[in-house]
């Protein structure tokens, strides 16, 4: 089958949808955030990419702290709303019930099954965006979202974003086991 080129705005397929929490002028602010990834093993570092024009960018520079919260499928509309309006013109502080962990400027969303609290570790300025690398201070959850002490995706019920078609998706069926299925394949290859 011949390969053809597709829209370059296909960044990654798919992405876990998150909500970035910051403090803007002393109040909680939230924005929809998809460009996230773990960037270091030890210490645990999380990279997030935030456009330079967003109020959240200014808020992280000011306070050096942020949170990354994983919303559930029940929170699609409010999450999208946080990606449509800016904290520079709309007060988003009352949208969620929040709690705080160790950091005073990293508001954590109670309704989100997973809350990642980060202290700014490094800032990388890029042409239109900033890559903020945060050291994970704590991750919070509730017993009801865990299986054997670990977050269970079936209980967390996160959702995903695909771009450039801009659609949200639920997570589907489990199709395998990492670091195990390859072992069986390796054995077959070695026969
Ligand atoms: C689904 C969705 C995902 C988004 N992901 C990102 C992202 O990863 N990085 C980014 O800089 N902006 C992203 N945005 C845009 C910001 O969330 C949006 O501009 C927001 O209004 C900024 O809010 P603020 O000005 O209060 O920081 C996304 C928007 C939507 C709707």
């Amino acid at each position: 089958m011949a390969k053809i080129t597709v829209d370059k705005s296909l960044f990654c397929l798919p992405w876990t949808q998150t909500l970035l929490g910051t403090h803007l002028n002393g109040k909680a602010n939230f924005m929809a955030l998809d460009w996230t990834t773990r960037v270091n093993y030890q210490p645990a570092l999380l990279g997030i990419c935030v456009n330079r024009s967003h109020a959240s960018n200014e808020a992280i520079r000011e306070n050096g702290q942020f949170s990354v919260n994983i919303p559930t499928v029940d929170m699609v509309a409010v999450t999208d709303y946080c990606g449509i309006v800016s904290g520079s013109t709309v007060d988003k502080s009352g949208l969620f019930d929040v709690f705080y962990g160790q950091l005073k400027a990293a508001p954590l969303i109670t309704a989100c099954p997973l809350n990642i609290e980060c202290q700014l570790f490094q800032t990388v300025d890029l042409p239109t965006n900033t890559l903020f690398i945060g050291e994970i201070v704590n991750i919070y959850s509730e017993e009801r979202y865990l299986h054997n002490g670990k977050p269970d995706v079936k209980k967390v019920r996160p959702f995903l974003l695909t771009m450039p078609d801009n659609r949200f998706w639920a997570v589907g069926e489990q199709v395998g086991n990492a670091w195990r299925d390859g072992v069986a394949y390796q054995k077959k290859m070695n026969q």
Side-chain angles (χ1 to χ4, degrees):
M1 197 76 75
K3 290 277 188 187
I4 55 167
T5 57
V6 296
D7 189 340
K8 277 197 286 186
S9 59
L10 184 154
F11 299 95
C12 188
L13 187 72
W15 237 298
T16 304
Q17 184 62 50
T18 75
L19 277 164
L20 173 66
T22 53
H23 259 205
L24 182 68
N25 305 323
K27 278 179 155 183
N29 188 54
F30 305 97
M31 75 159 238
L33 171 81
D34 282 82
W35 298 5
T36 66
T37 185
R38 253 307 268 275
V39 293
N40 196 61
Y41 181 49
Q42 290 289 1
L45 300 180
L46 186 69
I48 64 166
C49 244
V50 182
N51 195 287
R52 283 164 177 260
S53 65
H54 298 342
S56 301
N57 190 307
E58 181 193 325
I60 296 175
R61 287 175 191 276
E62 198 178 305
N63 299 300
Q65 299 176 352
F66 61 89
S67 70
V68 175
N69 304 270
I70 313 289
T72 72
V73 290
D74 303 324
M75 299 171 70
V76 165
V78 69
T79 301
D80 197 41
Y81 174 75
C82 289
I84 291 170
V85 299
S86 173
S88 56
T89 49
V90 176
D91 182 359
K92 294 184 261 185
S93 65
L95 286 176
F96 306 104
D97 179 56
V98 299
F99 67 100
Y100 289 84
Q102 278 176 244
L103 307 178
K104 298 292 158 250
L108 303 157
I109 302 172
T110 310
C112 289
L114 285 169
N115 315 96
I116 308 170
E117 189 182 28
C118 295
Q119 178 73 48
L120 186 62
F121 180 87
Q122 199 172 327
T123 301
V124 182
D125 282 316
L126 299 165
T128 56
N129 286 62
T130 307
L131 169 63
F132 292 111
I133 299 175
E135 178 163 2
I136 298 175
V137 174
N138 273 309
I139 301 183
Y140 302 88
S141 190
E142 292 168 54
E143 202 59 54
R144 62 184 166 137
Y145 299 121
L146 309 180
H147 178 71
N148 293 334
K150 296 173 187 162
D152 181 341
V153 76
K154 275 192 178 163
K155 296 178 178 176
V156 172
R157 297 187 304 141
F159 57 99
L160 313 170
L161 172 74
T162 53
M163 288 171 80
D165 61 349
N166 297 348
R167 290 195 279 174
F168 292 123
W169 305 83
V171 176
E173 290 304 305
Q174 180 181 352
V175 294
N177 290 294
W179 282 277
R180 270 178 44 195
D181 295 352
V183 175
Y185 193 86
Q186 187 183 32
K187 277 186 189 148
K188 214 169 76 181
M189 293 297 286
N190 290 341
Q191 273 171 10

